[in-house]
Amino acid sequence: MTSGKTWLMWDEAVTGYDFGPSHPMDPIRLSLTMRLVETLSLDRETAVRSVPAAGDSTLRLVHHPDYIDAVRRSSVEPAPPAEEYGIGTTDTPAFPGMHEVSSLIVGQSVAAAEAVWRGETPHAVNFAGGLHHAMPGAAGGFCVYNDAAIAIARLLESGAERVAYVDVDVHHGDGVQAAFWDDPRVLTISVHEHPRALFPGTGWPEECGPPHAAGGAVNVAIPPGTADAGWLRALHAVVPELLEAFQPQFLVTQHGADTHVEDPLAHLALSVDAQRAAMAACHDWAHAHAEGRWLALGGGGYAVVDVVPRSWAHLVAVASHAPVDPARPVPEEWRRTVYALTRQDAPRSMGDGGTARFRSWEDGYDPADDVDRAIMATRKAVFPTHGLLA
């Protein structure tokens, strides 16, 4: 197993990923996360790395050249309209420097993946990444360039034969699924709120890949209102068996914090504690199934003071083998920083008093339970293609 510190990708310039003051994706969530990481001394447990932005040849591993050109044009003030590429919409408005900062986030995820693949670090975290809605030829859902998909494409280019992607954002990881829909070398698993209830309206259990890559896309559509125990039950009822069957050489995970009960854009009811439990599970799965090779990314999350910084600080802590007890008080120094920057009171604990406990799938299926029916729909659609029993 590779030794050395986990890489933490960070450059203050990523806070330039800013759609404007009225947009829910406030970049303060990134700076507050890094300040909490520092206040908890997690930066000393990691190797903090800053790298150059990705160039066009790297972006083209996933994105079409005309789309990259449109993003570059739209980054100039005043920007010409490019709505045919998903730019200039309410969700993804153009802003000055959009191409440059989006390319920087891609560069961070790609460099992190390369470092893990080369054995320079066992794990790597880029919580500014996880922009999973961007399509090869269009922006969408607050995402300009799909850093997760590009990092996976670089791994394939570098010789990886099997890469698994696990997405626990509240929204379906549609852009990553689309990028590798017909590529049997990549297994994409997305656990998200049901598409009837939430953007982007995709991610049904029946979306499981074309015949020559059957089972390469896995979607678990969770009922609105699901809380910690049900969500963790679903995650554990689907992901580990598939990873064991697929035997990836590398695990990429996306940890959107918008599954939280306080998130204003979705309808699940998780605590930070359950999010942390999922991070710990992904870490364990990387060691069990991918020789420890793990790239962990951020994603959505719009409770930018109360939730996102704590959730992603836990991600850094788990990945750096320095876990933080959810019962630990939030450092007062960080709470003062939050108030100075936002005039909001920060949480007092690193957890919410939630649970990491759940009923194992092996304990039996309840056909009257909405979560169990969601799990079974996915297992029936996908498991047989991997030689597994539903």
Short mmCIF file of all heavy atoms in Angstrom, two decimals, residues 322-373:
data_model
loop_
_atom_site.label_atom_id
_atom_site.label_comp_id
_atom_site.label_asym_id
_atom_site.label_seq_id
_atom_site.Cartn_x
_atom_site.Cartn_y
_atom_site.Cartn_z
N ALA A 322 -7.25 10.77 9.94
CA ALA A 322 -7.28 11.53 11.18
C ALA A 322 -8.73 11.90 11.48
O ALA A 322 -9.08 13.08 11.53
CB ALA A 322 -6.41 12.78 11.05
N PRO A 323 -9.61 10.89 11.66
CA PRO A 323 -11.03 11.17 11.79
C PRO A 323 -11.35 12.09 12.97
O PRO A 323 -10.69 12.04 14.01
CB PRO A 323 -11.65 9.78 11.98
CG PRO A 323 -10.53 8.91 12.44
CD PRO A 323 -9.30 9.45 11.80
N VAL A 324 -12.37 12.90 12.78
CA VAL A 324 -12.83 13.85 13.79
C VAL A 324 -14.12 13.32 14.39
O VAL A 324 -15.06 12.99 13.67
CB VAL A 324 -13.04 15.25 13.18
CG1 VAL A 324 -13.70 16.18 14.18
CG2 VAL A 324 -11.73 15.83 12.68
N ASP A 325 -14.17 13.24 15.69
CA ASP A 325 -15.37 12.77 16.39
C ASP A 325 -16.52 13.74 16.13
O ASP A 325 -16.38 14.95 16.35
CB ASP A 325 -15.08 12.71 17.89
CG ASP A 325 -16.18 12.05 18.70
OD1 ASP A 325 -17.35 12.02 18.24
OD2 ASP A 325 -15.89 11.57 19.81
N PRO A 326 -17.68 13.25 15.67
CA PRO A 326 -18.81 14.16 15.45
C PRO A 326 -19.25 14.90 16.71
O PRO A 326 -19.86 15.96 16.61
CB PRO A 326 -19.92 13.23 14.94
CG PRO A 326 -19.23 12.04 14.40
CD PRO A 326 -18.00 11.87 15.25
N ALA A 327 -18.95 14.34 17.88
CA ALA A 327 -19.31 15.02 19.14
C ALA A 327 -18.34 16.15 19.50
O ALA A 327 -18.61 16.91 20.44
CB ALA A 327 -19.36 14.00 20.27
N ARG A 328 -17.26 16.26 18.77
CA ARG A 328 -16.27 17.30 19.08
C ARG A 328 -16.86 18.69 18.86
O ARG A 328 -17.52 18.94 17.84
CB ARG A 328 -15.04 17.11 18.20
CG ARG A 328 -13.97 18.17 18.39
CD ARG A 328 -12.74 17.86 17.57
NE ARG A 328 -11.75 18.93 17.64
CZ ARG A 328 -10.53 18.87 17.12
NH1 ARG A 328 -10.14 17.77 16.50
NH2 ARG A 328 -9.69 19.88 17.22
N PRO A 329 -16.63 19.61 19.78
CA PRO A 329 -17.09 20.97 19.56
C PRO A 329 -16.40 21.62 18.36
O PRO A 329 -15.21 21.35 18.10
CB PRO A 329 -16.72 21.70 20.85
CG PRO A 329 -16.55 20.62 21.87
CD PRO A 329 -16.03 19.43 21.12
N VAL A 330 -17.13 22.41 17.63
CA VAL A 330 -16.51 23.19 16.56
C VAL A 330 -15.59 24.23 17.19
O VAL A 330 -15.98 24.89 18.16
CB VAL A 330 -17.61 23.89 15.71
CG1 VAL A 330 -16.99 24.89 14.75
CG2 VAL A 330 -18.42 22.85 14.94
N PRO A 331 -14.37 24.40 16.68
CA PRO A 331 -13.46 25.37 17.29
C PRO A 331 -14.05 26.78 17.31
O PRO A 331 -14.60 27.25 16.31
CB PRO A 331 -12.22 25.30 16.39
CG PRO A 331 -12.28 23.95 15.76
CD PRO A 331 -13.74 23.65 15.58
N GLU A 332 -13.92 27.43 18.45
CA GLU A 332 -14.46 28.80 18.58
C GLU A 332 -13.78 29.75 17.60
O GLU A 332 -14.41 30.71 17.13
CB GLU A 332 -14.29 29.29 20.02
CG GLU A 332 -15.29 28.70 20.99
CD GLU A 332 -16.73 29.04 20.60
OE1 GLU A 332 -16.99 30.19 20.19
OE2 GLU A 332 -17.59 28.15 20.70
N GLU A 333 -12.52 29.51 17.30
CA GLU A 333 -11.83 30.37 16.34
C GLU A 333 -12.54 30.35 14.99
O GLU A 333 -12.71 31.39 14.35
CB GLU A 333 -10.38 29.90 16.18
CG GLU A 333 -9.58 30.70 15.16
CD GLU A 333 -8.19 30.14 14.93
OE1 GLU A 333 -7.75 29.27 15.73
OE2 GLU A 333 -7.55 30.55 13.95
N TRP A 334 -12.97 29.17 14.57
CA TRP A 334 -13.68 29.06 13.29
C TRP A 334 -15.05 29.72 13.38
O TRP A 334 -15.49 30.38 12.45
CB TRP A 334 -13.82 27.61 12.87
CG TRP A 334 -14.47 27.46 11.51
CD1 TRP A 334 -13.88 27.71 10.31
CD2 TRP A 334 -15.80 27.04 11.23
NE1 TRP A 334 -14.78 27.47 9.27
CE2 TRP A 334 -15.96 27.06 9.81
CE3 TRP A 334 -16.87 26.65 12.03
CZ2 TRP A 334 -17.16 26.71 9.19
CZ3 TRP A 334 -18.07 26.29 11.42
CH2 TRP A 334 -18.20 26.32 10.01
N ARG A 335 -15.73 29.57 14.49
CA ARG A 335 -17.04 30.20 14.65
C ARG A 335 -16.92 31.72 14.56
O ARG A 335 -17.78 32.38 13.98
CB ARG A 335 -17.68 29.77 15.96
CG ARG A 335 -17.96 28.26 16.04
CD ARG A 335 -18.76 27.88 17.27
NE ARG A 335 -20.16 28.23 17.08
CZ ARG A 335 -20.81 29.16 17.75
NH1 ARG A 335 -20.17 29.88 18.69
NH2 ARG A 335 -22.08 29.42 17.52
N ARG A 336 -15.84 32.26 15.10
CA ARG A 336 -15.63 33.71 14.99
C ARG A 336 -15.38 34.10 13.54
O ARG A 336 -15.85 35.14 13.07
CB ARG A 336 -14.46 34.15 15.89
CG ARG A 336 -14.77 34.07 17.38
CD ARG A 336 -13.71 34.81 18.19
NE ARG A 336 -12.41 34.16 18.10
CZ ARG A 336 -11.98 33.21 18.93
NH1 ARG A 336 -12.78 32.78 19.92
NH2 ARG A 336 -10.77 32.70 18.81
N THR A 337 -14.62 33.27 12.82
CA THR A 337 -14.38 33.55 11.40
C THR A 337 -15.68 33.54 10.61
O THR A 337 -15.92 34.41 9.76
CB THR A 337 -13.42 32.49 10.82
OG1 THR A 337 -12.16 32.58 11.49
CG2 THR A 337 -13.21 32.69 9.33
N VAL A 338 -16.53 32.56 10.88
CA VAL A 338 -17.82 32.47 10.20
C VAL A 338 -18.63 33.73 10.44
O VAL A 338 -19.20 34.32 9.50
CB VAL A 338 -18.60 31.23 10.66
CG1 VAL A 338 -20.04 31.28 10.17
CG2 VAL A 338 -17.92 29.97 10.16
N TYR A 339 -18.69 34.16 11.68
CA TYR A 339 -19.50 35.35 11.98
C TYR A 339 -18.92 36.59 11.31
O TYR A 339 -19.67 37.42 10.77
CB TYR A 339 -19.62 35.56 13.49
CG TYR A 339 -20.62 36.63 13.82
CD1 TYR A 339 -21.98 36.34 13.82
CD2 TYR A 339 -20.21 37.93 14.11
CE1 TYR A 339 -22.91 37.33 14.09
CE2 TYR A 339 -21.12 38.92 14.39
CZ TYR A 339 -22.48 38.62 14.37
OH TYR A 339 -23.40 39.61 14.64
N ALA A 340 -17.60 36.69 11.31
CA ALA A 340 -16.98 37.87 10.68
C ALA A 340 -17.26 37.92 9.18
O ALA A 340 -17.45 39.01 8.62
CB ALA A 340 -15.47 37.84 10.93
N LEU A 341 -17.31 36.75 8.53
CA LEU A 341 -17.50 36.72 7.08
C LEU A 341 -18.95 36.72 6.65
O LEU A 341 -19.28 37.19 5.56
CB LEU A 341 -16.81 35.48 6.50
CG LEU A 341 -15.28 35.45 6.58
CD1 LEU A 341 -14.76 34.11 6.09
CD2 LEU A 341 -14.67 36.59 5.77
N THR A 342 -19.84 36.18 7.49
CA THR A 342 -21.22 35.98 7.06
C THR A 342 -22.27 36.63 7.96
O THR A 342 -23.43 36.71 7.56
CB THR A 342 -21.54 34.48 6.98
OG1 THR A 342 -21.58 33.92 8.30
CG2 THR A 342 -20.50 33.74 6.14
N ARG A 343 -21.88 37.02 9.15
CA ARG A 343 -22.81 37.50 10.17
C ARG A 343 -23.85 36.44 10.54
O ARG A 343 -24.96 36.74 10.94
CB ARG A 343 -23.51 38.80 9.73
CG ARG A 343 -22.58 40.01 9.69
CD ARG A 343 -22.02 40.30 11.09
NE ARG A 343 -21.20 41.50 11.15
CZ ARG A 343 -19.86 41.49 11.10
NH1 ARG A 343 -19.21 40.35 10.98
NH2 ARG A 343 -19.18 42.62 11.19
N GLN A 344 -23.45 35.18 10.40
CA GLN A 344 -24.28 34.06 10.82
C GLN A 344 -23.59 33.31 11.95
O GLN A 344 -22.36 33.27 12.02
CB GLN A 344 -24.52 33.09 9.66
CG GLN A 344 -25.31 33.66 8.51
CD GLN A 344 -25.57 32.63 7.45
OE1 GLN A 344 -25.94 31.49 7.75
NE2 GLN A 344 -25.37 33.00 6.19
N ASP A 345 -24.40 32.72 12.83
CA ASP A 345 -23.86 31.87 13.88
C ASP A 345 -23.57 30.48 13.33
O ASP A 345 -24.43 29.88 12.68
CB ASP A 345 -24.84 31.77 15.05
CG ASP A 345 -24.96 33.07 15.82
OD1 ASP A 345 -23.95 33.79 15.91
OD2 ASP A 345 -26.07 33.36 16.33
N ALA A 346 -22.39 30.00 13.58
CA ALA A 346 -21.98 28.68 13.09
C ALA A 346 -22.45 27.58 14.04
O ALA A 346 -22.74 27.84 15.21
CB ALA A 346 -20.47 28.63 12.94
N PRO A 347 -22.51 26.35 13.56
CA PRO A 347 -22.85 25.23 14.45
C PRO A 347 -21.82 25.09 15.57
O PRO A 347 -20.68 25.52 15.43
CB PRO A 347 -22.81 24.02 13.51
CG PRO A 347 -22.83 24.56 12.13
CD PRO A 347 -22.26 25.92 12.19
N ARG A 348 -22.24 24.45 16.65
CA ARG A 348 -21.36 24.30 17.80
C ARG A 348 -20.70 22.93 17.87
O ARG A 348 -19.76 22.74 18.63
CB ARG A 348 -22.14 24.56 19.09
CG ARG A 348 -22.59 26.00 19.21
CD ARG A 348 -23.21 26.28 20.56
NE ARG A 348 -23.54 27.70 20.70
CZ ARG A 348 -22.70 28.64 21.08
NH1 ARG A 348 -21.44 28.32 21.37
NH2 ARG A 348 -23.08 29.90 21.18
N SER A 349 -21.19 21.97 17.09
CA SER A 349 -20.66 20.61 17.15
C SER A 349 -20.30 20.16 15.74
O SER A 349 -20.92 20.58 14.76
CB SER A 349 -21.69 19.67 17.76
OG SER A 349 -21.27 18.32 17.65
N MET A 350 -19.33 19.24 15.64
CA MET A 350 -18.95 18.69 14.34
C MET A 350 -19.97 17.69 13.82
O MET A 350 -19.87 17.24 12.68
CB MET A 350 -17.58 18.05 14.43
CG MET A 350 -16.43 19.06 14.50
SD MET A 350 -16.32 20.14 13.05
CE MET A 350 -15.94 18.95 11.75
N GLY A 351 -20.94 17.32 14.63
CA GLY A 351 -22.02 16.45 14.19
C GLY A 351 -23.36 17.04 14.52
O GLY A 351 -23.46 18.12 15.11
N ASP A 352 -24.40 16.28 14.16
CA ASP A 352 -25.77 16.73 14.42
C ASP A 352 -26.48 15.83 15.43
O ASP A 352 -27.68 15.97 15.65
CB ASP A 352 -26.59 16.70 13.13
CG ASP A 352 -26.08 17.67 12.08
OD1 ASP A 352 -25.64 18.76 12.46
OD2 ASP A 352 -26.12 17.32 10.88
N GLY A 353 -25.75 14.87 16.00
CA GLY A 353 -26.41 13.90 16.86
C GLY A 353 -27.19 12.88 16.06
O GLY A 353 -28.10 12.22 16.58
N GLY A 354 -26.83 12.72 14.79
CA GLY A 354 -27.49 11.74 13.93
C GLY A 354 -26.94 10.35 14.16
O GLY A 354 -26.19 10.10 15.10
N THR A 355 -27.33 9.44 13.27
CA THR A 355 -26.95 8.05 13.49
C THR A 355 -26.17 7.50 12.30
O THR A 355 -26.43 7.88 11.15
CB THR A 355 -28.19 7.17 13.72
OG1 THR A 355 -27.76 5.82 13.94
CG2 THR A 355 -29.13 7.18 12.52
N ALA A 356 -25.23 6.63 12.60
CA ALA A 356 -24.56 5.86 11.55
C ALA A 356 -25.07 4.43 11.55
O ALA A 356 -24.55 3.58 10.84
CB ALA A 356 -23.05 5.88 11.78
N ARG A 357 -26.13 4.17 12.32
CA ARG A 357 -26.69 2.82 12.40
C ARG A 357 -27.76 2.62 11.34
O ARG A 357 -28.51 3.55 11.03
CB ARG A 357 -27.27 2.57 13.79
CG ARG A 357 -26.23 2.58 14.90
CD ARG A 357 -26.84 2.16 16.22
NE ARG A 357 -27.91 3.07 16.64
CZ ARG A 357 -27.71 4.17 17.34
NH1 ARG A 357 -26.48 4.52 17.70
NH2 ARG A 357 -28.72 4.94 17.69
N PHE A 358 -27.85 1.42 10.82
CA PHE A 358 -28.86 1.09 9.83
C PHE A 358 -29.09 -0.42 9.85
O PHE A 358 -28.24 -1.18 10.33
CB PHE A 358 -28.43 1.55 8.43
CG PHE A 358 -27.17 0.90 7.94
CD1 PHE A 358 -27.20 -0.26 7.18
CD2 PHE A 358 -25.93 1.44 8.26
CE1 PHE A 358 -26.03 -0.87 6.74
CE2 PHE A 358 -24.75 0.85 7.82
CZ PHE A 358 -24.79 -0.31 7.06
N ARG A 359 -30.22 -0.83 9.32
CA ARG A 359 -30.54 -2.25 9.25
C ARG A 359 -29.94 -2.84 7.98
O ARG A 359 -30.17 -2.34 6.88
CB ARG A 359 -32.06 -2.43 9.26
CG ARG A 359 -32.54 -3.87 9.40
CD ARG A 359 -34.04 -3.91 9.72
NE ARG A 359 -34.83 -3.31 8.67
CZ ARG A 359 -35.34 -3.97 7.63
NH1 ARG A 359 -35.11 -5.28 7.51
NH2 ARG A 359 -36.07 -3.35 6.74
N SER A 360 -29.15 -3.89 8.14
CA SER A 360 -28.47 -4.50 7.00
C SER A 360 -29.49 -5.13 6.05
O SER A 360 -30.53 -5.66 6.47
CB SER A 360 -27.49 -5.57 7.49
OG SER A 360 -27.00 -6.33 6.41
N TRP A 361 -29.17 -5.10 4.77
CA TRP A 361 -30.01 -5.75 3.77
C TRP A 361 -30.13 -7.24 4.04
O TRP A 361 -31.16 -7.86 3.74
CB TRP A 361 -29.43 -5.50 2.38
CG TRP A 361 -30.29 -5.99 1.26
CD1 TRP A 361 -30.07 -7.04 0.44
CD2 TRP A 361 -31.55 -5.42 0.83
NE1 TRP A 361 -31.08 -7.18 -0.48
CE2 TRP A 361 -32.01 -6.18 -0.26
CE3 TRP A 361 -32.32 -4.34 1.27
CZ2 TRP A 361 -33.20 -5.92 -0.92
CZ3 TRP A 361 -33.51 -4.07 0.61
CH2 TRP A 361 -33.94 -4.84 -0.46
N GLU A 362 -29.12 -7.82 4.63
CA GLU A 362 -29.14 -9.25 4.95
C GLU A 362 -30.19 -9.59 6.00
O GLU A 362 -30.56 -10.77 6.15
CB GLU A 362 -27.76 -9.70 5.42
CG GLU A 362 -26.69 -9.60 4.35
CD GLU A 362 -25.32 -9.99 4.86
OE1 GLU A 362 -25.20 -10.27 6.08
OE2 GLU A 362 -24.38 -10.03 4.06
N ASP A 363 -30.70 -8.58 6.70
CA ASP A 363 -31.73 -8.82 7.70
C ASP A 363 -33.12 -8.99 7.10
O ASP A 363 -34.07 -9.28 7.84
CB ASP A 363 -31.76 -7.67 8.72
CG ASP A 363 -30.50 -7.61 9.57
OD1 ASP A 363 -29.81 -8.64 9.66
OD2 ASP A 363 -30.21 -6.54 10.14
N GLY A 364 -33.23 -8.80 5.78
CA GLY A 364 -34.51 -9.05 5.15
C GLY A 364 -35.08 -7.84 4.44
O GLY A 364 -34.80 -6.68 4.78
N TYR A 365 -35.90 -8.12 3.44
CA TYR A 365 -36.54 -7.12 2.58
C TYR A 365 -37.97 -6.88 3.05
O TYR A 365 -38.72 -7.83 3.28
CB TYR A 365 -36.52 -7.62 1.13
CG TYR A 365 -37.44 -6.91 0.18
CD1 TYR A 365 -37.32 -5.55 -0.07
CD2 TYR A 365 -38.44 -7.62 -0.51
CE1 TYR A 365 -38.15 -4.90 -0.97
CE2 TYR A 365 -39.28 -6.99 -1.41
CZ TYR A 365 -39.14 -5.62 -1.64
OH TYR A 365 -39.96 -4.99 -2.53
N ASP A 366 -38.35 -5.62 3.18
CA ASP A 366 -39.70 -5.25 3.58
C ASP A 366 -40.42 -4.63 2.39
O ASP A 366 -40.17 -3.48 2.05
CB ASP A 366 -39.66 -4.26 4.74
CG ASP A 366 -41.05 -3.84 5.22
OD1 ASP A 366 -42.05 -4.32 4.64
OD2 ASP A 366 -41.13 -3.04 6.17
N PRO A 367 -41.33 -5.36 1.72
CA PRO A 367 -41.98 -4.83 0.52
C PRO A 367 -42.89 -3.64 0.79
O PRO A 367 -43.30 -2.95 -0.15
CB PRO A 367 -42.77 -6.02 0.00
CG PRO A 367 -42.97 -6.92 1.17
CD PRO A 367 -41.76 -6.73 2.03
N ALA A 368 -43.21 -3.38 2.06
CA ALA A 368 -44.04 -2.24 2.39
C ALA A 368 -43.22 -0.97 2.62
O ALA A 368 -43.80 0.11 2.80
CB ALA A 368 -44.86 -2.55 3.64
N ASP A 369 -41.90 -1.08 2.59
CA ASP A 369 -41.02 0.05 2.88
C ASP A 369 -40.57 0.71 1.58
O ASP A 369 -40.06 0.04 0.67
CB ASP A 369 -39.81 -0.43 3.68
CG ASP A 369 -38.91 0.71 4.08
OD1 ASP A 369 -39.17 1.34 5.11
OD2 ASP A 369 -37.94 0.98 3.34
N ASP A 370 -40.74 2.03 1.47
CA ASP A 370 -40.40 2.74 0.24
C ASP A 370 -38.92 2.62 -0.10
O ASP A 370 -38.54 2.47 -1.27
CB ASP A 370 -40.79 4.21 0.35
CG ASP A 370 -42.29 4.44 0.31
OD1 ASP A 370 -43.01 3.52 -0.13
OD2 ASP A 370 -42.74 5.53 0.71
N VAL A 371 -38.05 2.73 0.90
CA VAL A 371 -36.61 2.62 0.64
C VAL A 371 -36.27 1.22 0.17
O VAL A 371 -35.50 1.03 -0.79
CB VAL A 371 -35.80 3.01 1.89
CG1 VAL A 371 -34.32 2.71 1.68
CG2 VAL A 371 -35.99 4.48 2.23
N ASP A 372 -36.84 0.20 0.80
CA ASP A 372 -36.55 -1.17 0.39
C ASP A 372 -37.01 -1.43 -1.04
O ASP A 372 -36.35 -2.14 -1.80
CB ASP A 372 -37.22 -2.16 1.35
CG ASP A 372 -36.38 -2.40 2.60
OD1 ASP A 372 -35.49 -1.58 2.87
OD2 ASP A 372 -36.60 -3.41 3.29
N ARG A 373 -38.14 -0.86 -1.42
CA ARG A 373 -38.60 -1.03 -2.80
C ARG A 373 -37.63 -0.36 -3.77
O ARG A 373 -37.38 -0.88 -4.87
CB ARG A 373 -40.01 -0.48 -2.97
CG ARG A 373 -41.08 -1.34 -2.29
CD ARG A 373 -42.46 -1.04 -2.85
NE ARG A 373 -42.86 0.34 -2.63
CZ ARG A 373 -43.48 0.77 -1.55
NH1 ARG A 373 -43.78 -0.07 -0.57
NH2 ARG A 373 -43.82 2.04 -1.43
#
